[in-house]
Amino acid sequence: MNSVNGSTKILGVMGDPIEHTGSPAIHNLLADKLGDNMIYVPFHVKGRRLEEAVAGAYALGIEGLNVTVPHKVEVMQYVTELDDAALEIGAVNTLARIRGGYKGYNTDFSGFMRELDSVDIQVNGRNVIVLGAGGAAKAVMYALKRFSAGHVYILNRSIEKAEDIFGKEPNTSIMGFGDWNKIPEGKYICVQCTSVGLSPDDEACVIDDEGFYDLIDSAVDLIYKPKETAFMRKVISHGGRAYNGLRMLVYQAVSSYEFFTKKEVPEEIIEELYNELDS
Ligand code: ATR
């Protein structure tokens, strides 16, 4: 790691809890690889101190911040400017310093788009199945729209909640997991956005019926621990290809880093970073 001196820029991630975050490891590795004089640290910020934390960070000259659970929506009130995509998604995970405060961005959606690109999943005109309707699904839905997906089937445990969030989206159907067989026959891209299957529940899968997996030719599970989820194994055993969420994680961090430093991270550095995190 670079040694800290009088010109070191400070960045970090705010959340509650924060101990589990992988962002410092990724950002400090990136800074090291790129020779940038910066250090990225975790900040444990409680909800009621969020406004103060953003103002205090600005006063301290902090260059940029990531924002994680549970602050991604509330922090939108405390930014000086808001990127259009973040406004439409309704969540901010990146604060980049500008004159007078921070500009809020959402790099979860760009991370997902860059993952799809890197594994050559072409969404344009394709019908898609989205499993889950939480915060991650919102960023995914926005990315699918930007990539001009065809019809999207959202399956969620709570249909009411999914209706509240996505009920007004065009070309979108909402149903429960048990209704998967109402999806018209064909081949679909599927994005797994629930937390089911996350380590240590490695064998759990949101839809167990084997027949469902005949509908899928390519899939991304946003989970990256374990590296291969039960959902991914089922897709693969039915002849599809499946990727975990590690590339999305890396690309969302890279996109944030690019907003913080206002320079592009070369593709070979991203690949190196991905390989180191994957090993
Ligand atoms: P994230 O930010 O990771 O998307 P979230 O907003 O809490 O987290 O969303 C979690 C998603 O996983 C939701 O779609 C949730 O379903 P509900 O909307 O019905 O709560 C889904 N989920 C979590 N645990 C689940 C379980 N045991 N079975 C089915 N779905 C589950």
Side-chain angles (χ1 to χ4, degrees):
M1 194 182 288
N2 290 321
S3 57
V4 176
N5 58 31
S7 325
T8 303
K9 291 200 169 15
I10 316 282
L11 296 103
V13 54
M14 302 191 296
D16 177 27
I18 199 62
E19 295 74 18
H20 65 281
T21 181
S23 293
I26 301 181
H27 282 270
N28 286 316
L29 197 56
L30 260 175
D32 205 21
K33 285 182 185 300
L34 294 164
D36 289 330
N37 185 5
M38 56 177 259
I39 185 160
Y40 184 109
V41 292
F43 293 111
H44 186 186
V45 176
K46 297 270 184 200
R48 66 194 152 79
R49 311 299 297 270
L50 186 60
E51 183 172 12
E52 267 179 278
V54 174
Y58 186 73
L60 284 170
I62 288 178
E63 195 65 20
L65 290 160
N66 282 118
V67 182
T68 188
V69 175
H71 304 317
K72 288 185 183 185
V73 178
E74 197 196 335
V75 78
M76 293 172 76
Q77 302 170 54
Y78 309 128
V79 298
T80 305
E81 272 181 44
L82 193 56
D83 175 65
D84 290 344
L87 177 65
E88 194 167 330
I89 295 164
V92 157
N93 76 328
T94 302
L95 302 180
R97 189 180 183 86
I98 57 169
R99 185 189 286 266
Y102 292 96
K103 181 164 179 178
Y105 296 91
N106 185 304
T107 66
D108 290 327
F109 96 90
S110 40
F112 177 65
M113 287 178 86
R114 288 171 83 165
E115 162 152 15
L116 290 181
D117 249 349
S118 77
V119 297
D120 201 26
I121 294 181
Q122 314 272 355
V123 170
N124 195 319
R126 292 285 316 273
N127 297 332
V128 182
I129 301 170
V130 173
L131 305 176
K138 279 195 208 166
V140 164
M141 285 296 288
Y142 181 79
L144 293 176
K145 201 169 0 170
R146 288 276 290 255
F147 270 143
S148 307
H151 199 89
V152 180
Y153 295 84
I154 301 178
L155 279 59
N156 200 43
R157 176 176 60 181
S158 158
I159 299 177
E160 204 175 307
K161 181 178 147 196
E163 290 279 4
D164 280 351
I165 302 172
F166 300 114
K168 293 198 174 72
E169 290 291 326
N171 304 321
T172 303
S173 308
I174 294 168
M175 52 182 80
F177 294 119
D179 288 332
W180 68 264
N181 49 10
K182 295 190 180 139
I183 297 172
E185 255 178 60
K187 286 290 183 189
Y188 295 78
I189 294 167
C190 183
V191 191
Q192 204 299 107
C193 308
T194 77
S195 45
V196 180
L198 192 62
S199 185
D201 289 326
D202 295 23
E203 297 307 316
C205 189
V206 84
I207 298 182
D208 284 319
D209 299 356
E210 294 291 332
F212 171 70
Y213 295 88
D214 287 331
L215 292 170
I216 302 170
D217 62 17
S218 23
V220 177
D221 193 330
L222 301 194
I223 292 172
Y224 52 90
K225 267 184 207 159
K227 276 195 204 178
E228 190 175 72
T229 61
F231 167 82
M232 290 167 65
R233 283 199 297 277
K234 281 182 192 279
V235 171
I236 293 164
S237 73
H238 285 256
R241 55 192 181 118
Y243 304 91
N244 68 21
L246 185 61
R247 279 184 187 275
M248 175 174 172
L249 176 77
V250 168
Y251 279 118
Q252 70 77 22
V254 165
S255 297
S256 294
Y257 195 96
E258 290 175 338
F259 284 127
F260 296 149
T261 60
K262 293 165 187 66
K263 63 183 187 190
E264 228 173 274
V265 178
E267 206 54 50
E268 62 271 18
I269 299 278
I270 301 175
E271 211 44 46
E272 241 180 73
L273 183 67
Y274 172 79
N275 289 331
E276 283 174 39
L277 293 168
D278 194 37
S279 58

